[in-house]
Amino acid sequence: MTYKVSSSEKLRKSGAEAETKALLYLMNFYPDSQDIHYFIVDFFNDLTGMNRTAKILWDLQSKGAKNSSPKSIGKELVTLFKNFISEINFKAYILFLGGVTSSFRIDNSKTSFGIENIKKEALELLIEGLIEECKNKIYIPNEQIKIDIIEKFISHVTFIIDEKKSTDYVRSIIKMHPHLMPEDIILEAIFNEIRDKQSSKKNINNVEGITIETTEDALDYCRHLTNNEIRLLTLQRILNWSILEKGIPEAFLEIYNRFPAEQRKDKLNECQANCCRALFNNNCADGFWTFFEKIYTLIIQHPQDSVTEIYRNIEDEILDGCPDLDVHSFKYFISIVKEGIQK
């Protein structure tokens, strides 16, 4: 297998926002969200999801315009089509749209659909636009620009209409834990920080014209984010504290000072390592967020309580949901949250 990178591009602000919405859509709303670990920026396409072993890929093209016509939508499909005829077998081809004209959909209430929800006249214009764009691109071989191939490709495309605010996409990261939900101004700041990190991946190096031999080779160019990075960023912004920051939270000092002097450094490192494992254990993500919500609520309700008092008020079933943490690392993390809230 070989794959040559072509048509990478720089982002406009509107394009950057659309791509970040698309990333958070893949991370939280797409049916395969739990399987997507990497989000590769501007390599195969605007955005490509990849599983942890780099064997399964979800390809996505985004268009931020709010009123796209059928023909312009067809033109936007060209990079997805390039990947459809490549040697890579992508699991999905997704076009993420800021909006469409009223002439496009049969049922305007559907925001995720295939060609079954596209009006006949609109579909004809879409195909016309795609064929025109294919002829304008040197990376699409002429022998592939055939109506049967194009129709087969379009039957595999999922069209997503973006009708959510940027804050809604960030809110979805926190999921079912309303007590953790910050104000919209914080959610917007988190979205902007994710957007900036995503955009910065385009400036790491120039990949135009690079040929890779396997899909995992794409990761070598470091143009990706992971769902763990985004979860951690969100958590730290809520707390106003770096979870992985070196140092000892003031609330943990009393416990820390009880450790024998020669063991203090090792015990601290162990607590930090356990917290890292808990943060990045996708299999126990719900348990971790439930634990986080519980201690967050307890600290808000009882700000004067010590770390140990807070720990004793957490139900056993919540503690059991975080198998990567032991007593000291539970208390260490409680200290971090307490420090962040009370800054």
Side-chain angles (χ1 to χ4, degrees), residues 292-333:
F292 180 28
E293 181 184 29
K294 181 66 178 183
I295 58 178
Y296 188 94
T297 303
L298 286 172
I299 292 167
I300 294 295
Q301 292 175 345
H302 309 285
Q304 302 306 317
D305 281 4
S306 69
V307 168
T308 297
E309 287 170 328
I310 292 167
Y311 173 73
R312 288 172 180 167
N313 283 317
I314 301 172
E315 295 87 345
D316 287 345
E317 57 267 27
I318 293 178
L319 298 176
D320 290 342
C322 298
D324 296 294
L325 301 178
D326 59 15
V327 172
H328 285 140
S329 47
F330 274 125
K331 291 183 177 181
Y332 176 78
F333 189 77

Short mmCIF file of all heavy atoms in Angstrom, two decimals, residues 292-333:
data_model
loop_
_atom_site.label_atom_id
_atom_site.label_comp_id
_atom_site.label_asym_id
_atom_site.label_seq_id
_atom_site.Cartn_x
_atom_site.Cartn_y
_atom_site.Cartn_z
N PHE A 292 -14.89 12.21 39.65
CA PHE A 292 -14.56 13.63 39.57
C PHE A 292 -15.77 14.49 39.95
O PHE A 292 -15.67 15.44 40.74
CB PHE A 292 -14.07 13.95 38.16
CG PHE A 292 -13.69 15.39 37.94
CD1 PHE A 292 -13.23 16.19 38.97
CD2 PHE A 292 -13.79 15.95 36.67
CE1 PHE A 292 -12.87 17.52 38.75
CE2 PHE A 292 -13.45 17.28 36.45
CZ PHE A 292 -12.99 18.06 37.50
N GLU A 293 -16.93 14.15 39.41
CA GLU A 293 -18.14 14.92 39.72
C GLU A 293 -18.45 14.87 41.22
O GLU A 293 -18.83 15.87 41.82
CB GLU A 293 -19.32 14.39 38.92
CG GLU A 293 -20.60 15.16 39.19
CD GLU A 293 -21.80 14.58 38.46
OE1 GLU A 293 -21.82 13.36 38.21
OE2 GLU A 293 -22.72 15.34 38.16
N LYS A 294 -18.28 13.68 41.80
CA LYS A 294 -18.60 13.51 43.22
C LYS A 294 -17.71 14.38 44.09
O LYS A 294 -18.20 15.10 44.98
CB LYS A 294 -18.45 12.04 43.61
CG LYS A 294 -18.77 11.75 45.07
CD LYS A 294 -20.24 11.99 45.40
CE LYS A 294 -20.57 11.65 46.84
NZ LYS A 294 -22.00 11.82 47.15
N ILE A 295 -16.39 14.35 43.85
CA ILE A 295 -15.50 15.13 44.71
C ILE A 295 -15.67 16.63 44.44
O ILE A 295 -15.57 17.44 45.37
CB ILE A 295 -14.03 14.70 44.57
CG1 ILE A 295 -13.53 14.82 43.13
CG2 ILE A 295 -13.84 13.28 45.07
CD1 ILE A 295 -12.07 14.43 42.97
N TYR A 296 -15.94 16.97 43.19
CA TYR A 296 -16.19 18.37 42.85
C TYR A 296 -17.39 18.89 43.64
O TYR A 296 -17.33 19.97 44.25
CB TYR A 296 -16.44 18.48 41.35
CG TYR A 296 -16.52 19.88 40.79
CD1 TYR A 296 -15.41 20.51 40.25
CD2 TYR A 296 -17.73 20.59 40.80
CE1 TYR A 296 -15.48 21.79 39.72
CE2 TYR A 296 -17.81 21.87 40.28
CZ TYR A 296 -16.68 22.47 39.74
OH TYR A 296 -16.76 23.74 39.24
N THR A 297 -18.47 18.10 43.67
CA THR A 297 -19.68 18.50 44.38
C THR A 297 -19.44 18.60 45.89
O THR A 297 -19.87 19.55 46.55
CB THR A 297 -20.81 17.48 44.11
OG1 THR A 297 -21.03 17.39 42.70
CG2 THR A 297 -22.11 17.90 44.78
N LEU A 298 -18.72 17.61 46.44
CA LEU A 298 -18.44 17.62 47.88
C LEU A 298 -17.61 18.82 48.29
O LEU A 298 -17.85 19.43 49.34
CB LEU A 298 -17.72 16.32 48.28
CG LEU A 298 -18.58 15.05 48.32
CD1 LEU A 298 -17.70 13.82 48.53
CD2 LEU A 298 -19.64 15.14 49.43
N ILE A 299 -16.64 19.19 47.45
CA ILE A 299 -15.78 20.32 47.79
C ILE A 299 -16.56 21.62 47.73
O ILE A 299 -16.38 22.52 48.57
CB ILE A 299 -14.55 20.36 46.85
CG1 ILE A 299 -13.64 19.16 47.13
CG2 ILE A 299 -13.77 21.66 47.03
CD1 ILE A 299 -12.57 18.93 46.09
N ILE A 300 -17.44 21.75 46.74
CA ILE A 300 -18.28 22.95 46.63
C ILE A 300 -19.20 23.05 47.84
O ILE A 300 -19.40 24.13 48.42
CB ILE A 300 -19.11 22.92 45.33
CG1 ILE A 300 -18.20 23.03 44.10
CG2 ILE A 300 -20.15 24.03 45.32
CD1 ILE A 300 -17.46 24.34 43.98
N GLN A 301 -19.78 21.92 48.25
CA GLN A 301 -20.74 21.92 49.36
C GLN A 301 -20.07 22.04 50.72
O GLN A 301 -20.64 22.61 51.65
CB GLN A 301 -21.58 20.64 49.30
CG GLN A 301 -22.51 20.57 48.10
CD GLN A 301 -23.24 19.24 48.01
OE1 GLN A 301 -22.88 18.27 48.67
NE2 GLN A 301 -24.30 19.20 47.19
N HIS A 302 -18.85 21.49 50.83
CA HIS A 302 -18.15 21.47 52.13
C HIS A 302 -16.71 21.94 51.95
O HIS A 302 -15.76 21.15 52.10
CB HIS A 302 -18.19 20.07 52.74
CG HIS A 302 -19.56 19.46 52.80
ND1 HIS A 302 -20.50 19.84 53.72
CD2 HIS A 302 -20.15 18.50 52.02
CE1 HIS A 302 -21.61 19.14 53.53
NE2 HIS A 302 -21.43 18.33 52.51
N PRO A 303 -16.51 23.21 51.65
CA PRO A 303 -15.16 23.70 51.32
C PRO A 303 -14.15 23.58 52.46
O PRO A 303 -12.95 23.55 52.21
CB PRO A 303 -15.41 25.17 50.94
CG PRO A 303 -16.72 25.52 51.58
CD PRO A 303 -17.52 24.26 51.57
N GLN A 304 -14.63 23.50 53.69
CA GLN A 304 -13.71 23.42 54.82
C GLN A 304 -13.28 21.99 55.15
O GLN A 304 -12.37 21.79 55.95
CB GLN A 304 -14.37 24.04 56.08
CG GLN A 304 -14.79 25.50 55.90
CD GLN A 304 -13.67 26.38 55.43
OE1 GLN A 304 -12.53 26.27 55.90
NE2 GLN A 304 -13.97 27.25 54.48
N ASP A 305 -13.93 21.01 54.56
CA ASP A 305 -13.59 19.62 54.85
C ASP A 305 -12.18 19.30 54.37
O ASP A 305 -11.73 19.79 53.32
CB ASP A 305 -14.58 18.66 54.19
CG ASP A 305 -15.88 18.55 54.96
OD1 ASP A 305 -16.03 19.28 55.97
OD2 ASP A 305 -16.75 17.75 54.56
N SER A 306 -11.51 18.44 55.12
CA SER A 306 -10.16 18.01 54.73
C SER A 306 -10.26 16.99 53.60
O SER A 306 -11.34 16.46 53.30
CB SER A 306 -9.45 17.38 55.92
OG SER A 306 -10.06 16.13 56.26
N VAL A 307 -9.13 16.69 53.00
CA VAL A 307 -9.08 15.68 51.95
C VAL A 307 -9.58 14.35 52.46
O VAL A 307 -10.35 13.65 51.78
CB VAL A 307 -7.63 15.56 51.41
CG1 VAL A 307 -7.49 14.32 50.53
CG2 VAL A 307 -7.24 16.82 50.65
N THR A 308 -9.17 13.97 53.66
CA THR A 308 -9.58 12.68 54.23
C THR A 308 -11.09 12.66 54.48
O THR A 308 -11.75 11.64 54.23
CB THR A 308 -8.81 12.41 55.53
OG1 THR A 308 -7.41 12.31 55.23
CG2 THR A 308 -9.27 11.10 56.17
N GLU A 309 -11.65 13.76 54.97
CA GLU A 309 -13.10 13.82 55.21
C GLU A 309 -13.86 13.68 53.89
O GLU A 309 -14.89 12.98 53.83
CB GLU A 309 -13.45 15.13 55.90
CG GLU A 309 -13.02 15.18 57.36
CD GLU A 309 -13.16 16.54 57.98
OE1 GLU A 309 -12.99 17.56 57.24
OE2 GLU A 309 -13.43 16.64 59.19
N ILE A 310 -13.38 14.32 52.85
CA ILE A 310 -14.03 14.20 51.54
C ILE A 310 -13.95 12.76 51.05
O ILE A 310 -14.94 12.19 50.58
CB ILE A 310 -13.37 15.16 50.53
CG1 ILE A 310 -13.67 16.61 50.92
CG2 ILE A 310 -13.87 14.87 49.10
CD1 ILE A 310 -12.84 17.62 50.19
N TYR A 311 -12.78 12.16 51.19
CA TYR A 311 -12.60 10.77 50.75
C TYR A 311 -13.58 9.83 51.46
O TYR A 311 -14.18 8.95 50.83
CB TYR A 311 -11.15 10.34 51.01
CG TYR A 311 -10.90 8.87 50.74
CD1 TYR A 311 -10.83 8.38 49.44
CD2 TYR A 311 -10.74 7.97 51.80
CE1 TYR A 311 -10.60 7.03 49.19
CE2 TYR A 311 -10.50 6.63 51.56
CZ TYR A 311 -10.44 6.16 50.26
OH TYR A 311 -10.22 4.82 50.02
N ARG A 312 -13.77 10.02 52.73
CA ARG A 312 -14.65 9.14 53.51
C ARG A 312 -16.12 9.30 53.14
O ARG A 312 -16.94 8.43 53.45
CB ARG A 312 -14.47 9.41 55.00
CG ARG A 312 -13.12 8.92 55.55
CD ARG A 312 -12.91 9.37 56.98
NE ARG A 312 -11.62 8.89 57.50
CZ ARG A 312 -11.05 9.32 58.61
NH1 ARG A 312 -11.68 10.26 59.35
NH2 ARG A 312 -9.90 8.84 59.02
N ASN A 313 -16.46 10.39 52.49
CA ASN A 313 -17.85 10.63 52.08
C ASN A 313 -18.15 10.17 50.66
O ASN A 313 -19.25 10.42 50.15
CB ASN A 313 -18.19 12.13 52.22
CG ASN A 313 -18.44 12.53 53.66
OD1 ASN A 313 -19.11 11.81 54.39
ND2 ASN A 313 -17.90 13.66 54.06
N ILE A 314 -17.22 9.50 50.03
CA ILE A 314 -17.43 8.98 48.68
C ILE A 314 -17.88 7.53 48.77
O ILE A 314 -17.24 6.72 49.45
CB ILE A 314 -16.14 9.09 47.83
CG1 ILE A 314 -15.69 10.56 47.74
CG2 ILE A 314 -16.36 8.54 46.42
CD1 ILE A 314 -14.33 10.74 47.10
N GLU A 315 -18.96 7.21 48.08
CA GLU A 315 -19.51 5.85 48.14
C GLU A 315 -18.51 4.84 47.56
O GLU A 315 -17.76 5.13 46.62
CB GLU A 315 -20.82 5.77 47.35
CG GLU A 315 -21.95 6.60 47.93
CD GLU A 315 -21.95 8.04 47.45
OE1 GLU A 315 -20.92 8.49 46.90
OE2 GLU A 315 -22.98 8.73 47.64
N ASP A 316 -18.54 3.63 48.12
CA ASP A 316 -17.61 2.58 47.69
C ASP A 316 -17.76 2.26 46.21
O ASP A 316 -16.77 2.01 45.53
CB ASP A 316 -17.84 1.30 48.52
CG ASP A 316 -17.33 1.42 49.94
OD1 ASP A 316 -16.56 2.38 50.20
OD2 ASP A 316 -17.71 0.59 50.77
N GLU A 317 -19.00 2.28 45.71
CA GLU A 317 -19.18 1.91 44.30
C GLU A 317 -18.55 2.94 43.36
O GLU A 317 -18.12 2.60 42.26
CB GLU A 317 -20.67 1.73 43.96
CG GLU A 317 -21.56 2.93 44.24
CD GLU A 317 -22.20 2.86 45.63
OE1 GLU A 317 -21.61 2.23 46.53
OE2 GLU A 317 -23.30 3.43 45.79
N ILE A 318 -18.47 4.21 43.81
CA ILE A 318 -17.80 5.22 42.99
C ILE A 318 -16.30 4.99 43.01
O ILE A 318 -15.62 5.06 41.97
CB ILE A 318 -18.14 6.64 43.50
CG1 ILE A 318 -19.63 6.93 43.24
CG2 ILE A 318 -17.26 7.70 42.82
CD1 ILE A 318 -20.10 8.28 43.74
N LEU A 319 -15.75 4.68 44.18
CA LEU A 319 -14.31 4.38 44.27
C LEU A 319 -13.96 3.14 43.46
O LEU A 319 -12.92 3.09 42.79
CB LEU A 319 -13.91 4.18 45.74
CG LEU A 319 -14.11 5.39 46.66
CD1 LEU A 319 -13.77 5.02 48.09
CD2 LEU A 319 -13.26 6.58 46.20
N ASP A 320 -14.84 2.16 43.48
CA ASP A 320 -14.60 0.92 42.73
C ASP A 320 -14.57 1.17 41.22
O ASP A 320 -14.00 0.38 40.46
CB ASP A 320 -15.67 -0.12 43.05
CG ASP A 320 -15.55 -0.66 44.46
OD1 ASP A 320 -14.47 -0.51 45.06
OD2 ASP A 320 -16.55 -1.22 44.97
N GLY A 321 -15.19 2.27 40.78
CA GLY A 321 -15.21 2.59 39.36
C GLY A 321 -13.90 3.16 38.84
O GLY A 321 -13.78 3.42 37.64
N CYS A 322 -12.92 3.34 39.74
CA CYS A 322 -11.60 3.88 39.36
C CYS A 322 -10.51 2.90 39.80
O CYS A 322 -9.79 3.16 40.78
CB CYS A 322 -11.36 5.24 39.99
SG CYS A 322 -12.54 6.50 39.50
N PRO A 323 -10.37 1.77 39.12
CA PRO A 323 -9.44 0.73 39.57
C PRO A 323 -7.97 1.12 39.49
O PRO A 323 -7.11 0.43 40.08
CB PRO A 323 -9.74 -0.44 38.61
CG PRO A 323 -10.32 0.21 37.39
CD PRO A 323 -11.10 1.38 37.90
N ASP A 324 -7.65 2.21 38.80
CA ASP A 324 -6.24 2.62 38.70
C ASP A 324 -5.77 3.40 39.92
O ASP A 324 -4.57 3.65 40.08
CB ASP A 324 -6.05 3.50 37.45
CG ASP A 324 -6.32 2.74 36.17
OD1 ASP A 324 -5.55 1.81 35.87
OD2 ASP A 324 -7.31 3.06 35.47
N LEU A 325 -6.72 3.82 40.76
CA LEU A 325 -6.37 4.63 41.93
C LEU A 325 -6.40 3.81 43.21
O LEU A 325 -7.25 2.93 43.37
CB LEU A 325 -7.33 5.81 42.05
CG LEU A 325 -7.39 6.77 40.85
CD1 LEU A 325 -8.42 7.87 41.10
CD2 LEU A 325 -6.03 7.39 40.58
N ASP A 326 -5.46 4.10 44.11
CA ASP A 326 -5.50 3.52 45.45
C ASP A 326 -5.78 4.65 46.45
O ASP A 326 -6.05 5.78 46.04
CB ASP A 326 -4.19 2.78 45.77
CG ASP A 326 -2.96 3.69 45.69
OD1 ASP A 326 -3.13 4.93 45.67
OD2 ASP A 326 -1.84 3.17 45.62
N VAL A 327 -5.70 4.35 47.74
CA VAL A 327 -6.11 5.34 48.74
C VAL A 327 -5.32 6.64 48.61
O VAL A 327 -5.89 7.75 48.58
CB VAL A 327 -5.94 4.76 50.17
CG1 VAL A 327 -6.17 5.86 51.20
CG2 VAL A 327 -6.93 3.63 50.40
N HIS A 328 -3.99 6.53 48.50
CA HIS A 328 -3.19 7.75 48.44
C HIS A 328 -3.41 8.52 47.14
O HIS A 328 -3.45 9.75 47.15
CB HIS A 328 -1.70 7.41 48.61
CG HIS A 328 -1.34 7.07 50.01
ND1 HIS A 328 -0.47 6.06 50.35
CD2 HIS A 328 -1.74 7.61 51.20
CE1 HIS A 328 -0.34 5.98 51.65
NE2 HIS A 328 -1.11 6.91 52.20
N SER A 329 -3.56 7.81 46.04
CA SER A 329 -3.77 8.54 44.78
C SER A 329 -5.18 9.11 44.70
O SER A 329 -5.40 10.15 44.08
CB SER A 329 -3.45 7.66 43.58
OG SER A 329 -4.01 6.38 43.67
N PHE A 330 -6.17 8.45 45.34
CA PHE A 330 -7.49 9.07 45.48
C PHE A 330 -7.36 10.41 46.20
O PHE A 330 -7.87 11.44 45.76
CB PHE A 330 -8.43 8.17 46.30
CG PHE A 330 -9.16 7.12 45.51
CD1 PHE A 330 -9.06 5.78 45.86
CD2 PHE A 330 -9.96 7.46 44.43
CE1 PHE A 330 -9.73 4.79 45.15
CE2 PHE A 330 -10.64 6.49 43.71
CZ PHE A 330 -10.52 5.16 44.06
N LYS A 331 -6.65 10.40 47.30
CA LYS A 331 -6.51 11.61 48.11
C LYS A 331 -5.67 12.66 47.39
O LYS A 331 -5.92 13.87 47.52
CB LYS A 331 -5.91 11.27 49.48
CG LYS A 331 -6.86 10.45 50.36
CD LYS A 331 -6.27 10.19 51.74
CE LYS A 331 -7.26 9.43 52.62
NZ LYS A 331 -6.71 9.18 53.97
N TYR A 332 -4.68 12.22 46.64
CA TYR A 332 -3.86 13.15 45.86
C TYR A 332 -4.73 13.87 44.83
O TYR A 332 -4.65 15.09 44.68
CB TYR A 332 -2.72 12.41 45.19
CG TYR A 332 -1.88 13.27 44.28
CD1 TYR A 332 -0.92 14.14 44.80
CD2 TYR A 332 -2.05 13.23 42.89
CE1 TYR A 332 -0.15 14.94 43.97
CE2 TYR A 332 -1.28 14.03 42.05
CZ TYR A 332 -0.34 14.88 42.59
OH TYR A 332 0.42 15.67 41.76
N PHE A 333 -5.58 13.10 44.14
CA PHE A 333 -6.43 13.73 43.12
C PHE A 333 -7.47 14.65 43.76
O PHE A 333 -7.76 15.72 43.23
CB PHE A 333 -7.12 12.67 42.26
CG PHE A 333 -7.83 13.25 41.07
CD1 PHE A 333 -7.12 13.66 39.96
CD2 PHE A 333 -9.21 13.44 41.09
CE1 PHE A 333 -7.77 14.23 38.87
CE2 PHE A 333 -9.86 14.01 40.00
CZ PHE A 333 -9.13 14.40 38.89
#
